[in-house]
Amino acid sequence: MDHTSQLIQERSAPPATLVIFGASGDLTRRKLLPAIESLARHERLPDQFALVGVARTSMTDEQFAESALGERTLASKRQLQGGVRYVAGGYDDPETYKRLVETLDELDAQRGTSGNRLFYLSTPAGAFEPVIHGLAGVGLNQPREGSFSRLVIEKPYGRDLVTARELDGVVHSAFDEHQVFRIDHYLGKDTVQNVLALRFANSIFQPIWDRSWVDHVQITVAETLGVGSRGGFYEDAGAMRDIVQNHVLQVLALALMEPPASFEAEGLRNEKVKLLQAIRLPTDRDIAEAAVRGQYTRGGTREELMAGYRDEAGVDPLSRTETYAAMRLNVDNWRWAGVPFYVRTGKRLPARLTEVALQFQRPPHLPIPTDQLTGLDADALILRIQPNEGISLRFGAKVPGHSFRVRTATMEFSYDQTFVEESPEAYERLLLDALIGDASLFIRSDEVQQCWRIVDPIIDNWEKDNSPIPTYEAASWGPTDADRLIGRHGRKWRNSA
């Protein structure tokens, strides 16, 4: 067996049936079915694999198979042909689960799926509880000997700490924690995982990855789009719940956590939880200085005028929901004490951008005259998660010429230019991990609760605040309050269009 074949075998799914609840929904169509097709095309799924869709929409096996395989490649069609089923029914109807049991038993016999089941909840959050109770009611939560039964849950996992704990109670009444895979698709991105590679596969960065060298850290998740057709959902979520509580804090935990004892799932997740536990919560009095919100208004150009948030479909004309959130966080541990961490996210910003930027301390003494320093910025290491995925190292360099002048230069690493390998989509990687049983990139129960612990006081404070919500024009970098947040100590945001 050659090396490539061995790698494929090591990262291939075992015989199993993937059951998608919410099979007629948007997430299934846009993300899950293409991910399954790609896994099949790359020979990551065995012949003993089956797909079952469950939803309220009336559909036959053939119709669901056509939606799942209609535009797929010949190779994936051939592999999945005959292994696609559909169960129509309400999520709170016991008959739905009885038909599901019959279907799964039939697939075990026909496809050799060995009683292994992965249940994916691609439904609105309100359906999580009836689906979990329905699975438990027919014993599908308990695997047969030598088999597995696992549950994948999409966000939002609760809407605050109280409801997250309530959902945990429902989940754990039927499934043990090791059976539960809470998904955040950001963690499936190669560039997010590259944060771990950069930190722990390179000895040159480890000595400077602390308070002695780092002045501050910025984490930005910027979107150019508005809420589009998700206005109704966004009204109940807002930027803090939709992005900060999960994506932003997950990236922050990976960037700041201590080196794990091993790259096993529990080793990684233990260190992430420890980091989140060390984040200091602002008091009510401090929140005004430590957290900023905003809502986009009409903006852009005459040629491309963008609607304000309150003009979007499904949005309250008097809405106070934030489409922008920024925070200054402090981590009370040995490595990071005294280093401020600035995080921000927003819709209708000038650029689509996700990055982590570590700005280093300036030299304690510069023997070079100031008139010879032309545009010299502080050294920085920028991890670009999307787009233009890669890493930039910013430093000072001599300008060619007869005089001694210094200005900022950069060294660039680009994923596209360095690697020829195809980067899998986030859902493709995470689906394969869940089928294999690797929980490294999934979120543990105590991790979810720590994230809610951090954002809940700020959300509560904003909901009690009756003052007008700050606004910013669409296609600008957010409210002026955000500039004041970071500017209090002479710093500024990394804004680029």
Side-chain angles (χ1 to χ4, degrees), residues 253-481:
L254 290 173
L256 306 185
M257 71 183 195
E258 293 298 312
S262 75
F263 259 42
E264 297 296 323
E266 293 313 296
L268 284 169
R269 301 200 290 182
N270 286 343
E271 295 302 335
K272 287 169 65 183
V273 170
K274 282 190 222 175
L275 187 283
L276 294 169
Q277 287 173 330
I279 292 178
R280 185 196 315 160
L281 298 186
T283 64
D284 286 344
R285 186 178 61 184
D286 296 333
I287 285 176
E289 293 189 355
V292 168
R293 58 179 170 160
Q295 186 184 91
Y296 67 83
T297 59
R298 185 177 304 178
T301 64
R302 288 187 179 276
E303 292 75 24
E304 190 180 356
L305 186 62
M306 291 172 264
Y309 176 70
R310 293 181 180 181
D311 300 321
E312 303 277 20
V315 173
D316 183 347
L318 299 177
S319 173
R320 296 174 51 78
T321 299
E322 79 282 357
T323 61
Y324 178 100
M327 295 191 298
R328 184 188 71 244
L329 298 172
N330 296 93
V331 178
D332 288 336
N333 66 13
W334 188 275
R335 182 184 295 269
W336 297 115
V339 177
F341 299 92
Y342 299 96
V343 303
R344 61 174 173 167
T345 185
K347 290 189 174 296
R348 284 294 185 211
L349 300 182
R352 175 176 171 263
L353 174 72
T354 300
E355 70 173 26
V356 179
L358 287 82
Q359 182 165 308
F360 296 101
Q361 305 276 1
R362 290 186 179 272
H365 171 66
L366 270 176
I368 307 168
T370 55
D371 61 354
Q372 293 175 242
L373 305 173
T374 53
L376 181 63
D377 296 319
D379 298 343
L381 184 65
I382 298 101
L383 316 180
R384 296 189 309 273
I385 294 172
Q386 65 180 19
N388 305 319
E389 293 84 352
I391 300 169
S392 294
L393 179 62
R394 190 176 71 191
F395 56 94
K398 181 189 177 297
V399 180
H402 296 293
S403 60
F404 192 89
R405 292 186 299 117
V406 179
R407 71 174 179 225
T408 294
T410 59
M411 292 175 62
E412 297 282 344
F413 155 71
S414 167
Y415 258 85
D416 288 344
Q417 296 178 10
T418 303
F419 297 114
V420 297
E421 291 88 347
E422 179 184 355
S423 183
E425 287 294 320
Y427 277 96
E428 183 182 342
R429 167 66 194 265
L430 294 172
L431 269 177
L432 180 59
D433 282 358
L435 285 164
I436 291 172
D438 182 356
S440 301
L441 301 179
F442 294 85
I443 304 170
R444 207 167 60 190
S445 173
D446 52 351
E447 195 175 340
V448 173
Q449 294 185 27
Q450 287 300 322
C451 291
W452 282 120
R453 179 190 71 90
I454 293 164
V455 303
D456 268 2
I458 297 169
I459 294 173
D460 291 343
N461 180 277
W462 287 348
E463 289 179 346
K464 294 173 185 175
D465 183 1
N466 293 319
S467 60
I469 184 170
T471 59
Y472 61 99
E473 283 191 14
S476 73
W477 276 107
T480 55
D481 285 354

